[in-house]
Amino acid sequence: MNWVKRNRLLLLFAAVVLTTLGAVGLGIVGVVATVGALLGGGAVVQTVAAFLLGTLLLVGVDVVLSVALVRALARRASVPKSQRVAGGLARLESLVPPLASLGLSDVFAPSVEDRHERLTRRYVEGEISEATYERELQALLGDGEEPDTGSLADLDPESPEEEGTEQTRPIDTDREREPARE
């Protein structure tokens, strides 16, 4: 079974070639047999039906195997990652909502790890300075985090405030009623 998995593409390709050759060969034999039945006075309809059915069956199997081969090749192909392409696809998906269901922008978007690796390589090779590296690294790491909306001390009514100001209880807002996010 392991050998079959390793050689799946080769086996699918061989099956497509064999079924294609079989369908073409059966079609040619069917035409010759039909011409022979016409000239010899045999049962033409039965001959045509038998060879036509066999040819159509092989063509159906050939189509199924061809689709399986194309899917296997597509899964194996590596898709180049590009932030620019992913951004363009995201804008296109926002303009054409049915495209959003395909998730193409996610497929072409490089992961944070890929972007970090590329940034580090550029720094090591001397393409960018240390300050640029740190700035871009902060921007990269900031992409996945939510912005800080303030500390909890700002919401605590018993926290010490500046002298000379009146201590007031904060207004109950929807944000306070939401459960804490992890």
Side-chain angles (χ1 to χ4, degrees):
M1 186 63 160
N2 198 14
W3 181 85
V4 172
K5 268 188 170 180
R6 281 189 312 227
N7 296 310
R8 183 173 183 214
L9 289 175
L10 181 62
L11 291 172
L12 280 172
F13 179 72
V16 167
V17 168
L18 290 175
T19 54
T20 303
L21 291 174
V24 169
L26 191 60
I28 291 171
V29 170
V31 168
V32 170
T34 303
V35 169
L38 280 172
L39 295 176
V44 176
V45 174
Q46 290 174 342
T47 306
V48 168
F51 282 103
L52 186 63
L53 180 64
T55 303
L56 289 177
L57 202 99
L58 275 175
V59 167
V61 170
D62 190 34
V63 167
V64 169
L65 289 172
S66 296
V67 168
L69 179 62
V70 168
R71 280 189 72 209
L73 287 171
R75 281 186 181 166
R76 195 169 235 198
S78 66
V79 177
K81 306 288 186 179
S82 168
Q83 190 65 34
R84 186 175 289 169
V85 171
L89 286 171
R91 284 190 293 280
L92 184 64
E93 287 173 348
S94 67
L95 294 173
V96 183
L99 288 179
S101 64
L102 297 175
L104 292 175
S105 61
D106 295 335
V107 171
F108 285 95
S111 67
V112 174
E113 291 83 19
D114 292 340
R115 292 168 56 197
H116 180 259
E117 182 179 312
R118 183 170 179 264
L119 181 63
T120 303
R121 182 181 46 79
R122 287 177 56 207
Y123 172 65
V124 168
E125 291 176 357
E127 292 178 26
I128 58 175
S129 67
E130 183 177 358
T132 305
Y133 172 75
E134 289 179 5
R135 185 176 59 247
E136 289 186 21
L137 184 62
Q138 286 298 324
L140 175 66
L141 296 177
D143 285 348
E145 301 174 357
E146 291 184 24
D148 189 18
T149 56
S151 67
L152 292 176
D154 295 339
L155 301 175
D156 188 10
E158 298 188 32
S159 65
E161 297 191 27
E162 293 180 30
E163 278 188 47
T165 60
E166 188 176 291
Q167 199 172 9
T168 60
R169 182 179 172 100
I171 299 172
D172 190 21
T173 63
D174 289 337
R175 186 174 64 158
E176 292 174 11
R177 283 187 245 144
E178 287 181 352
R181 294 182 189 166
E182 294 182 335

